[in-house]
Amino acid sequence: MKSGIYIAAALTLLACMAGETRALENFGGSLRLIGSSQSSPAADLRSFDQQYQVHYSRHLLPLLLANVAVSYHDLQTFPAQGDRNWHGEFQPSADLSWTSPFFTAGANYRYRETRDLVAVNNSLNRGAGAYLRTRFTDLPQANVTFDWNRYVSHSGFMPLDSEERRLQAGLQYARRVVNLRYTYSHRDFENRVDGSRQVHQQHIVRTDYSDNFINQRLRLAGSYLFSYNLREESSSQSALPLSLIPALQGLYALDNSPGLGELDTLAALVDDNLNQVTIPPVDIGGANIYQNLGLNLGLPRPVDHLFIYTDRQSDPAVAWTVYTSDNNLDWTVHGEGVSQLYNVAAQRYEIAFAAVTARYLKVVNTGINEEPQVFVTEMQALLSSEALGTLPGESANHRATVSTSYQVNSTVRLGADAVLGSLVENSTGQERRDASVAGTATYRPTAQFSVVGRYQQGYTEYRNELVQPQMNKAASLTVLGQPLKTLELSLSGSYQETAEDQVVQQVTKSSLARASAQLLPGLSAITEAGFTRGLRPAQDQVIDTWSYRQSVEAFPYASLNLTAGYGVQWYSSNQAYSANRRDETDLRLTWRATASIHLRGHLTYAREDANDNFSQDYSLGWHLTERLSANAGARFFQTDTGYSTRSLSLQTAYLLSSRTNFSFGYSQNRIENSQVEETTTYQAGFNTSF
């Protein structure tokens, strides 16, 4: 592999310049070596991991900065039986940036080559880009970005030998009360494996207005957004390319009863950032099962593939179940033609199934992930070319908002807002129009008491015979009080109604009471109780959900923190024979015994109907000397069905200097189900940087 030559040349250059102190000030780098030995009843495995990185940074001119970096990763594994495995990555990069008082400009080049003894996992990624951003004070701000990528990979459902070009240009002008923005983007994507090509153009115009009147008592704000999208796709007659279907919202919930339940919005799941972990994070590693990951497509669309991206390589054996819904509440398993794999090169799960038309889709993971911690970064819905004719080739979106608020007097504030929007997809005849109005009233006679009420009504119409017009109503009332400095109380209630074609489909009524008290110095408690009733008149269905949560937190000493909590949630339905109940008790301890010893513990006992599970998590951190430190951990998980896991770990590190250390690690993982699986791993490492 040529990468070894480049690395050797870079290190030789550094050695030759050892006497040039001034030149070395511009260099930096790191070296990481890790060797491990793993044993289990199934097989023994040894591995050696090498990671090298060198970077150089220097001002060629007072305003011109150059950066060059080279990194190399080599991972070799040696199973007790069979041939060795090898995986290598070579990544050089370079960029130039010019920074002046009036503009910034730059250019970059990227190269990433991945090699594997399993040839199908090989990939090559090359890219280059340039940008220009103006920095004028009283003139419109302009920015232009161009990016080119060439990617070759032959793994997964969608093999690629692709070339992608992206151009984005924007103009923004802001004054005291008005902000104007225009953005144009052009993306040209070509897959040379099957001859498919996608060209996507987008124009976005947005204006925002905000100002105050009558001595700051009256506030007016408004905005208008127009976006125009043009998508052109072509492919050979025999090709089955996958086309991305834009999602309106990402959805998420942790729910071990995935057949019934609403998912919350998770915007980071569909933010087009394949490398950034979602916030809040979703961990599908280890025994973190029943993670519900979903998409709201805005209206019913045909889908036959779902991609789940991860921040690192994950276990291919994790199983995914596909669900569909028309209301984000009742979910139906879609089991026709489901198959899945894990694409190592793209770091994603690829789930294929028979094409289904749905507005809401989700997947739920089951089975133990051999990787202890894996976070989700993105989720995508796709459709093969068999149904490309149903995808919008051209769409236009208009959305206008107006809001106002008025401070009537020192205790009363009124507010109102309205939204009007439309989405037109010319190639399919799909058209969606929506409008909503809302009013808010706040009454705050004292700093310790307030009442907030809000009412909202919305209407959505689809120009499609498959979707009926929808009307939504929502009302809420919240009362907050602080009768004592150490006591806070809140009581809230809400009502939501959804109707289709003037026929009520779903009604939700909920209430929540909460009390927070400082009982003693260093001792506080929180109590919450809630009730929700869901009605589905068309099915003559009533679902009641009760919840209660009590937690106590104590700080008997500055170094000791104790938290205890108990929660219960149960729901019943007039169409179910029995109620579903979940109880959970947890205890947490954090203790800094000395300046160098830190202990943590977490116990959780959960019971759902007749199923019990108990988890324990302990950790100890100890700085034995200024140079020597150790961390130990233990995790236990057990269910009454006979399934249990045990994880033990020990990590030690010795500092040779502030930038160099040796490390040693030991871990043991044991899984008991129908059979016992136990894996023991020893690991030694060396890290340094300059």
Side-chain angles (χ1 to χ4, degrees):
M1 191 175 183
K2 296 181 180 179
S3 53
I5 300 176
Y6 290 112
I7 292 292
L11 295 177
T12 302
L13 177 62
L14 286 177
C16 294
M17 299 179 63
E20 299 291 336
T21 304
R22 183 177 178 182
L24 286 176
E25 291 178 353
N26 298 318
F27 278 94
S30 63
L31 166 66
R32 185 181 185 190
L33 305 175
I34 301 176
S36 68
S37 175
Q38 183 182 94
S39 62
S40 66
D44 293 340
L45 182 69
R46 292 178 296 115
S47 67
F48 184 52
D49 191 353
Q50 309 170 64
Q51 298 180 35
Y52 307 91
Q53 195 267 340
V54 178
H55 58 85
Y56 175 81
S57 178
R58 182 178 179 181
H59 278 279
L60 304 180
L61 296 172
L63 301 180
L64 182 62
L65 177 65
N67 293 286
V68 180
V70 179
S71 65
Y72 176 68
H73 181 200
D74 184 291
L75 174 62
Q76 300 184 53
T77 56
F78 306 89
Q81 297 179 352
D83 299 330
R84 75 179 181 95
N85 296 319
W86 171 75
H87 179 85
E89 289 187 5
F90 173 58
Q91 297 185 64
S93 63
D95 69 80
L96 289 171
S97 60
W98 182 286
T99 303
S100 76
F102 305 108
F103 69 89
T104 60
N108 62 77
Y109 177 78
R110 309 172 302 276
Y111 181 95
R112 178 180 179 182
E113 183 179 3
T114 301
R115 291 290 186 90
D116 199 291
L117 287 182
V118 181
V120 73
N121 291 330
N122 292 349
S123 66
L124 177 62
N125 184 207
R126 291 173 291 164
Y131 67 89
L132 171 66
R133 301 185 184 95
T134 63
R135 306 172 66 181
F136 300 110
T137 304
D138 298 325
L139 296 176
Q141 305 294 317
N143 68 83
V144 180
T145 303
F146 175 78
D147 200 63
W148 170 83
N149 276 288
R150 179 73 188 277
Y151 182 71
V152 179
S153 171
H154 296 283
S155 63
F157 288 128
M158 193 165 59
L160 288 177
D161 179 358
S162 66
E163 184 173 0
E164 180 184 36
R165 292 173 292 274
R166 288 178 179 265
L167 172 66
Q168 181 169 306
L171 195 64
Q172 180 175 354
Y173 182 66
R175 302 301 294 175
R176 188 181 65 86
V177 298
V178 178
N179 190 341
L180 302 174
R181 280 178 287 179
Y182 168 73
T183 303
Y184 169 77
S185 62
H186 179 99
R187 177 179 180 265
D188 190 343
F189 180 87
E190 180 181 0
N191 187 356
R192 301 183 180 184
V193 173
D194 55 24
S196 63
R197 184 178 182 183
Q198 301 175 10
V199 178
H200 182 204
Q201 299 183 63
Q202 184 179 56
H203 300 265
I204 299 177
V205 178
R206 183 182 179 107
T207 177
D208 296 278
Y209 169 84
S210 177
D211 201 1
N212 295 307
F213 304 91
I214 315 178
N215 297 324
Q216 309 295 316
R217 294 173 62 185
L218 176 64
R219 178 178 177 82
L220 295 177
S223 67
Y224 171 73
L225 171 70
F226 168 73
S227 65
Y228 173 79
N229 294 270
L230 177 62
R231 184 189 298 269
E232 300 176 4
E233 300 183 4
S234 61
S235 62
S236 62
Q237 293 183 351
S238 60
L240 292 177
L242 297 177
S243 297
L244 181 65
I245 299 175
L248 183 65
Q249 292 175 322
L251 305 171
Y252 168 72
L254 176 59
D255 187 358
N256 58 4
S257 302
L260 178 66
E262 185 175 358
L263 274 63
D264 297 323
T265 300
L266 182 59
L269 195 61
V270 291
D271 61 359
D272 293 329
N273 192 331
L274 306 183
N275 302 314
Q276 182 66 42
V277 173
T278 62
I279 299 176
V282 179
D283 187 1
I284 59 172
N288 293 310
I289 58 177
Y290 295 117
Q291 302 282 22
N292 291 227
L293 299 165
L295 297 174
N296 175 7
L297 303 180
L299 68 161
R301 293 180 183 271
V303 180
D304 58 12
H305 286 78
L306 291 171
F307 287 177
I308 309 296
Y309 289 82
T310 58
D311 69 329
R312 67 200 68 185
Q313 290 190 15
S314 188
D315 185 358
V318 173
W320 296 92
T321 304
V322 181
Y323 291 81
T324 63
S325 174
D326 59 358
N327 57 11
N328 189 23
L329 180 64
D330 298 295
W331 297 90
T332 303
V333 175
H334 180 68
E336 298 182 23
V338 177
S339 61
Q340 71 170 63
L341 59 80
Y342 186 79
N343 187 328
V344 176
Q347 288 190 183
R348 69 188 179 207
Y349 287 98
E350 300 181 358
I351 307 163
F353 43 88
V356 60
T357 299
R359 178 179 178 180
Y360 297 94
L361 295 102
K362 75 174 181 180
V363 291
V364 181
N365 66 319
T366 54
I368 302 301
N369 193 331
E370 291 295 336
E371 297 296 328
Q373 194 174 62
V374 178
F375 292 102
V376 174
T377 62
E378 190 80 3
M379 183 175 181
Q380 294 176 343
L382 303 100
L383 183 67
S384 63
S385 63
E386 295 170 311
L388 282 180
T390 64
L391 282 176
E394 185 179 7
S395 65
N397 184 24
H398 300 264
R399 183 158 295 273
T401 63
V402 178
S403 64
T404 181
S405 63
Y406 180 66
Q407 189 75 43
V408 180
N409 52 44
S410 60
T411 62
V412 178
R413 187 175 187 86
L414 303 177
D417 54 83
V419 179
L420 181 64
S422 69
L423 173 65
V424 179
E425 298 175 349
N426 293 340
S427 63
T428 63
Q430 291 276 11
E431 182 176 351
R432 184 185 72 199
R433 297 179 179 178
D434 61 272
S436 67
V437 293
T440 304
T442 303
Y443 175 63
R444 186 186 295 272
T446 67
Q448 293 76 32
F449 181 78
S450 65
V451 180
V452 180
R454 180 175 174 83
Y455 176 80
Q456 180 174 341
Q457 183 167 327
Y459 178 81
T460 304
E461 178 185 15
Y462 296 91
R463 295 294 181 89
N464 185 308
E465 60 182 9
L466 298 177
V467 183
Q468 301 295 332
Q470 298 180 359
M471 179 172 288
N472 302 288
K473 297 179 182 179
S476 63
L477 182 67
T478 302
V479 180
L480 301 175
Q482 189 177 4
L484 302 172
K485 290 184 178 181
T486 58
L487 178 63
E488 294 181 359
L489 303 174
S490 69
L491 180 64
S492 61
S494 65
Y495 174 89
Q496 296 181 0
E497 178 183 295
T498 301
E500 293 185 2
D501 198 21
Q502 299 183 351
V503 177
V504 176
Q505 299 293 321
Q506 183 174 330
V507 176
T508 303
K509 306 174 184 179
S510 63
S511 59
L512 177 67
R514 185 178 190 272
S516 175
Q518 188 75 34
L519 304 177
L520 294 170
L523 180 64
S524 61
I526 297 176
T527 302
E528 292 182 345
F531 171 74
T532 300
R533 166 161 288 185
L535 306 172
R536 305 203 69 192
Q539 289 79 26
D540 192 25
Q541 185 179 24
V542 180
I543 301 175
D544 290 337
T545 303
W546 294 264
S547 63
Y548 174 80
R549 175 73 182 174
Q550 175 70 62
S551 63
V552 178
E553 186 173 15
F555 290 88
Y557 305 101
S559 60
L560 180 62
N561 172 233
L562 297 169
T563 303
Y566 169 75
V568 58
Q569 182 181 58
W570 66 98
Y571 73 85
S572 63
S573 170
N574 63 338
Q575 297 181 1
Y577 293 104
S578 61
N580 184 299
R581 172 169 173 161
R582 177 181 175 86
D583 298 74
E584 183 173 293
T585 304
D586 63 271
L587 299 172
R588 294 178 183 268
L589 164 71
T590 301
W591 182 30
R592 186 171 291 278
T594 67
S596 59
I597 300 178
H598 192 192
L599 299 96
R600 292 181 180 176
H602 183 199
L603 307 178
T604 302
Y605 171 76
R607 179 180 180 85
E608 183 160 0
D609 293 336
N611 300 319
D612 297 349
N613 63 73
F614 182 49
S615 65
Q616 308 169 66
D617 192 347
Y618 308 98
S619 66
L620 166 66
W622 189 2
H623 285 274
L624 289 85
T625 67
E626 291 185 358
R627 294 180 178 272
L628 181 62
S629 63
N631 291 278
R635 291 184 177 183
F636 306 92
F637 178 79
Q638 185 175 3
T639 69
D640 60 358
T641 60
Y643 174 81
S644 66
T645 65
R646 183 187 69 190
S647 298
L648 306 175
S649 65
L650 174 65
Q651 297 286 334
T652 61
Y654 182 78
L655 293 176
L656 294 177
S657 68
S658 60
R659 296 186 175 185
T660 304
N661 71 79
F662 286 103
S663 62
F664 172 79
Y666 164 82
S667 65
Q668 184 185 82
N669 296 293
R670 179 184 177 91
I671 300 177
E672 293 187 23
N673 199 356
S674 57
Q675 58 184 3
V676 178
E677 299 180 16
E678 184 173 293
T679 303
T680 302
T681 304
Y682 295 91
Q683 188 179 86
F686 172 76
N687 296 272
T688 187
S689 62
F690 60 91

